[in-house]
Every structure is written in C-alpha cells, then in structure tokens.
Amino acid sequence: MQKSIEELEREINERKFQIALKYYWGSSKNQIDYSKSCDILEKLSNESNSSVESKYMYANCLYFGKGVIENKEKANNIYKEILQNEESVTDANSKYIYGKIYSLGLGVEENKSKANEYFKAGNDFFTENENEYNNYKLGLNYYYGRGTEKNYQKAVEVLKRVTNISEAYTVIAEIYEKGGYGIEKDLGEATKYYKIAAENNNKIGLYKSAVFASQNNDCVEAVQYYNKVLELGYEIGKVNYNLGLIYYNGANGIERNYAEALKRFKEAANNNILVANYYLGKIYYWGDGVERNVNLAYTYFEKANNIAAKTYIIEKDIAEDVEAYGNIDTLNERIYSLNTNDIYFYEQTTKQDLENAISRYQTIINAFNPNDDLSLYLKYKLASYIFLIDNKNKEFSSKVEALLWDLYNSNNSFFGKYLGTHSLGILYSAGEYLEKDIVRGIELLKESADMGNIEAIQELIDIFTNNGNEEEAKKYIIKLNNLKVA
C-alpha cells in the first residue's frame, strides 16, 4: 500500500530527528555537535506536524544554551506550548516528555507526583518497544528512579543494549564508579566504560578518563585526555587546574614545567577555580620559574580566600557532600557561611558577635579535609581576623594560638613554616597578645628564617639589635642580603 504524503513527511522528519539526536548525544559515527543538532531541531519544531520530542529537544537547546545563544524565555514558551495538548496526547514518548518538563519545572511549576505518573507510562512503552533511544530513556529512568524504583542493575542491563549513544557509556561508568542499588562498585569497569565513551569523543568520558589516569599515576595519558577535553571546551577551569598540578609537581613521564603550570593555573583562576589562586601565590612567593614577588603572591592568596568559595563546594558531587555532611541543610549553611565570611567578621562589636563569627568561619574550615591547602589557609585567615579585632581584649588569644599551632604541626611547608611558625614567633616575642616567651619566639622565627622567610629574618635582626647582640644581628643581615641577591 502506497504511503500518503503526510506519512512520508513524518517518516522523513523522524529520520532527521534521529540524526539530530546523534549530534546531540554523540555516537560511534557522530561527534557531539550541538550547533548542528540545534539547527535540525529548530527546523523540525517549526514544521506543522512537528513531534513533541523535536520541540522539547529544541527547547532544551535554548534553555541550556547548547549550540545556540541561551534563551530561557523562548524555551519556557515552547515548554508551555508542548503542554497545551497534554490532555489529548496518548503516545508514551510524549508522556515521557511531559514527565521531564514537570520533573524539572521547565516553564511550569515543578510537580514530581505528576511527573512520576508520566514516567511510569513511558517506561511501560519503552519496555515493550525496544530501540536505541527507548532503551536509553528507560535506562536513565532506572538510574534516576523515575516512574520506578531506582535500580542500577536494571539500568546497566538496559543501557548495555545501547551502542550508538555515547552518553549511555558514561552513565554505566558512573554506576560502576558509585555502586549501590544492585551493583557492586567496580572502578575497573568504570574506567572501561569511560574509555569507551572517550573513544566516541564524549566530553565526560574524556574528562573522567583523564582523572582516572592521573589517579593511576599515568600522567602522560592524563595529559592527552585533558587536552582533548579542552578542545571540546568542557570543564575549562578544572582541566587547567589539574594540568597545572601535573606540570607543577612533575611526575611519571611529565617533566616539571613551572612556566606551563603558571599558564594553566592562571587559566583556571580566570574560570573561578578557587585553589588555583593559592598555587599562583605559591609560585610567586617562592619564585618557582618566575621572579620572586611577595606582594603579588599575597594578592593571589587574598583572591584564594575571597572568590565565592561556594563554587568550590558546589563543584563537588552533591551526593558525596550530603553524605559527608549529614544533610543538605548543613551543606547549605556552610555554603552561606562561605559567601559571607569576610564582611561578617568586620561587622562585629561585642564578644558574642565575635563568638558567632568564629563559629560561622569554623564551619568553613570543617567543610574541607584538615590537611587540605585551603583548610590550612582558612585557619590562618581565621586567626588573623580574630587577632585584628581582639588584640586589645585578648579574650580569644588561646583560640588564635591553637589555630597557629595547627598550622605549625601540619605537613605543609608554606603554611606551617611561613604563616604558622612566623606568626607564633612574632606573638611570643612581642608578648602583647600571647604570654611573652622570647626564647620560644626566637626559636620559631629562626626556624621560619631557615625556610627563606624574609620577614622572619627582619624580625630577628630587630630583636638582636635591640638586645645588643650584634653578632647574631650581623649573621641575619648577611643572610638577608644573600637572599636579596639570589
């Protein structure tokens, strides 16, 4: 029987839609190209007989700015247009789309209950009508628990039947990386599937393959993957930061290269990667491959503290954060504290105010590993804030002392031997805030001076000069001149 013109047009449009999906998700034959996908989807969505799916995918391009300039207002209008026929539509694919719209609150108020009903109807259809795209959607629903109980085992079974959508491999890899819901954690399988996704030029597959290679001390492979990720414009800040660490430390086939590390850290810092500013400060403070510049170093250290640190936490996997911190409310409280810490300190007028400020700042520190560079730097900042406000009253001097000794006892040469040791040396020597102990103060300042701390050397010169110990003063004057010449 000959097909009608309308049937032929629908068939042609369906083929165009499948091509658009391949560019959108990536496949074994097509690299991800949001621009090409969006162009096809836009034309399809303007057809008189356009499908709900093509309109939805085009709206997603606009909403998330994929292949086109972001336009949430236009996207929301399309989402609302899709829902106009909600009552009369019976096909499962459309119902699945309705589930996505209500689940994410796209153009309408979020409604999880309604979304779940639509997802369930979609799942029944996908199970009975297998194809690449239906299997992919069904696998995702098992993964996220949409319209069904969350079941990683079923998700993997279904997604392994998908061979031409590279995103399927990344989801399988994520499942093996996390484990749970019927699947044992298996980093070997996770690595395998991330690499398969990477072979299909999938940006997540490439990025995670780089991370896994770095963790396995294969820095050459890690650098190769990271450079491919940069070509795709994905996670520019994180990738440059990770490359900066590799070049800064030099390891396993990659020679130390301070110039390349500096370039990468600057790019990471420009993309709001908080810790990159710390490493830039470290490079300029020690003169690693550049002319030593202490003032510029401090500028970067200040940036490390002042950039919205909430980004630093949010970039971590939210599930891991919630698991580590107990609940989402605790995480949000810490994020709020991170955003307000600097200004909040300078507004304190009473002892109770200062106690509250210290408590708020302590939540920041507790959000990180105790030996993390940022945690140590924040301890120094907290000690500095308390001292600046409390130096006349001395009610919190023991807190400052404890924080500085934490720095001293850390394994970090910069924070321990520069900030911690130097600060304790000054405070014990002066005896104006902590109980005076000149012997202990000089010992600490000498220890810091031996690390090349110019400020500590100058302090020692002043102390020995004032005490009439010209021999010791001369020794440190020579040491200071030698450092300046170097």
Side-chain angles (χ1 to χ4, degrees):
M1 184 176 177
Q2 194 172 10
K3 293 181 181 179
S4 67
I5 293 176
E6 188 177 82
E7 287 175 323
L8 287 171
E9 285 178 347
R10 276 202 300 267
E11 190 174 299
I12 291 169
N13 285 345
E14 177 59 27
R15 289 179 181 175
K16 289 180 180 177
F17 178 67
Q18 293 301 324
I19 293 171
L21 289 180
K22 288 177 180 178
Y23 281 122
Y24 192 91
W25 297 116
S27 69
S28 57
K29 295 180 180 179
N30 299 88
Q31 294 184 6
I32 290 175
D33 190 328
Y34 292 127
S35 181
K36 284 184 179 179
S37 178
C38 184
D39 185 52
I40 297 170
L41 291 167
E42 182 181 13
K43 291 173 182 175
L44 287 174
S45 68
N46 290 325
E47 295 278 350
S48 58
N49 59 350
S50 63
S51 68
V52 168
E53 285 182 290
S54 60
K55 285 184 177 179
Y56 172 74
M57 292 301 292
Y58 176 55
N60 283 352
C61 289
L62 292 167
Y63 192 90
F64 297 106
K66 291 188 173 182
V68 67
I69 296 172
E70 183 182 297
N71 190 334
K72 283 186 167 53
E73 183 179 356
K74 186 175 180 180
N76 284 331
N77 287 335
I78 296 174
Y79 292 133
K80 289 174 184 176
E81 180 187 333
I82 290 170
L83 293 175
Q84 285 178 357
N85 298 319
E86 181 181 355
E87 298 299 327
S88 60
V89 171
T90 57
D91 71 284
N93 277 325
S94 295
K95 289 185 176 182
Y96 173 80
I97 298 302
Y98 295 155
K100 292 290 289 292
I101 290 173
Y102 280 114
S103 176
L104 299 172
L106 300 171
V108 294
E109 187 175 343
E110 183 182 298
N111 189 327
K112 295 292 185 184
S113 176
K114 200 168 188 178
N116 214 43
E117 291 176 15
Y118 281 127
F119 281 133
K120 189 176 185 308
N123 289 342
D124 293 339
F125 176 81
F126 301 147
T127 302
E128 295 171 6
N129 298 271
E130 278 200 38
N131 62 40
E132 284 277 302
Y133 192 43
N134 285 349
N135 283 336
Y136 178 64
K137 290 184 285 189
L138 180 61
L140 288 183
N141 284 350
Y142 279 126
Y143 178 56
Y144 292 112
R146 297 188 305 212
T148 182
E149 292 292 320
K150 189 178 285 192
N151 190 320
Y152 285 176
Q153 185 175 7
K154 285 187 176 180
V156 168
E157 287 175 4
V158 175
L159 289 170
K160 281 184 177 179
R161 298 200 290 269
V162 180
T163 57
N164 287 312
I165 300 176
S166 64
E167 296 287 340
Y169 298 120
T170 65
V171 177
I172 294 172
E174 286 171 11
I175 289 172
Y176 280 120
E177 186 179 2
K178 294 193 291 190
Y181 299 98
I183 287 288
E184 290 288 328
K185 183 175 180 178
D186 189 331
L187 295 182
E189 284 294 286
T191 302
K192 169 186 168 183
Y193 281 98
Y194 278 132
K195 283 192 171 184
I196 295 174
E199 289 167 5
N200 287 280
N201 213 38
N202 180 282
K203 60 186 180 183
I204 296 174
L206 288 164
Y207 177 76
K208 294 295 289 190
S209 294
V211 172
F212 273 59
S214 183
Q215 290 173 351
N216 292 325
N217 295 318
D218 189 343
C219 291
V220 173
E221 185 176 66
V223 168
Q224 290 171 348
Y225 277 127
Y226 278 136
N227 284 328
K228 288 181 180 178
V229 177
L230 287 178
E231 289 174 9
L232 297 176
Y234 180 64
E235 295 290 12
I236 293 172
K238 286 183 180 180
V239 171
N240 276 291
Y241 173 69
N242 291 338
L243 283 169
L245 289 177
I246 291 172
Y247 287 116
Y248 184 79
N249 295 309
N252 301 307
I254 300 296
E255 292 185 6
R256 177 173 285 171
N257 186 332
Y258 287 131
E260 189 65 23
L262 182 68
K263 172 186 169 184
R264 300 294 186 173
F265 285 136
K266 282 184 175 180
E267 189 64 32
N270 288 337
N271 283 275
N272 291 329
I273 299 299
L274 184 66
V275 186
N277 288 287
Y278 159 68
Y279 279 97
L280 287 169
K282 197 172 180 181
I283 286 172
Y284 280 107
Y285 182 81
W286 294 111
D288 291 330
V290 297
E291 185 177 348
R292 193 167 189 240
N293 189 328
V294 174
N295 290 333
L296 184 56
Y298 284 143
T299 299
Y300 280 115
F301 288 135
E302 285 300 314
K303 285 183 180 179
N305 189 52
N306 292 335
I307 289 176
K310 114 178 179 180
T311 305
Y312 187 85
I313 285 187
I314 288 176
E315 285 175 340
K316 297 178 180 179
D317 181 55
I318 193 74
E320 290 180 3
D321 284 336
V322 174
E323 184 179 348
Y325 303 146
N327 59 67
I328 192 67
D329 292 330
T330 305
L331 178 62
N332 284 336
E333 181 185 335
R334 287 176 178 175
I335 291 171
Y336 178 72
S337 295
L338 285 162
N339 275 332
T340 59
N341 63 79
D342 286 338
I343 296 172
Y344 191 77
F345 249 95
Y346 291 118
E347 293 176 347
Q348 309 319 309
T349 56
T350 69
K351 179 181 177 182
Q352 184 61 50
D353 286 337
L354 187 53
E355 284 179 347
N356 291 337
I358 292 170
S359 176
R360 289 165 68 92
Y361 211 101
Q362 192 68 53
T363 63
I364 304 170
I365 295 168
N366 293 340
F368 302 99
N369 183 300
N371 293 317
D372 186 272
D373 288 346
L374 186 58
S375 174
L376 295 171
Y377 179 61
L378 290 174
K379 284 182 180 180
Y380 170 72
K381 292 295 292 186
L382 176 56
S384 301
Y385 284 138
I386 297 171
F387 174 75
L388 287 170
I389 297 167
D390 184 53
N391 61 81
K392 293 181 181 178
N393 299 323
K394 305 179 187 177
E395 292 177 338
F396 295 93
S397 59
S398 60
K399 181 69 176 176
V400 172
E401 187 175 23
L403 285 165
L404 293 175
W405 277 111
D406 277 353
L407 296 181
Y408 177 87
N409 291 320
S410 72
N411 294 322
N412 186 294
S413 61
F414 178 77
F415 290 112
K417 302 306 178 187
Y418 175 71
L419 296 178
T421 313
H422 179 218
S423 300
L424 283 168
I426 291 173
L427 292 176
Y428 284 131
S429 300
E432 294 176 1
Y433 188 64
L434 300 182
E435 185 176 346
K436 188 166 186 173
D437 188 337
I438 190 67
V439 174
R440 194 179 200 184
I442 289 174
E443 287 176 355
L444 288 163
L445 287 171
K446 282 183 175 181
E447 193 173 339
S448 187
D450 288 342
M451 292 290 293
N453 186 335
I454 291 175
E455 288 82 356
I457 295 171
Q458 291 172 330
E459 291 285 344
L460 287 168
I461 293 170
D462 291 341
I463 290 172
F464 290 131
T465 300
N466 292 334
N467 291 343
N469 191 336
E470 293 182 7
E471 186 176 341
E472 283 293 297
K474 186 182 293 185
K475 184 172 80 173
Y476 282 98
I477 289 171
I478 293 170
K479 190 178 186 73
L480 180 63
N481 289 333
N482 288 339
L483 278 175
K484 287 182 176 179
V485 171

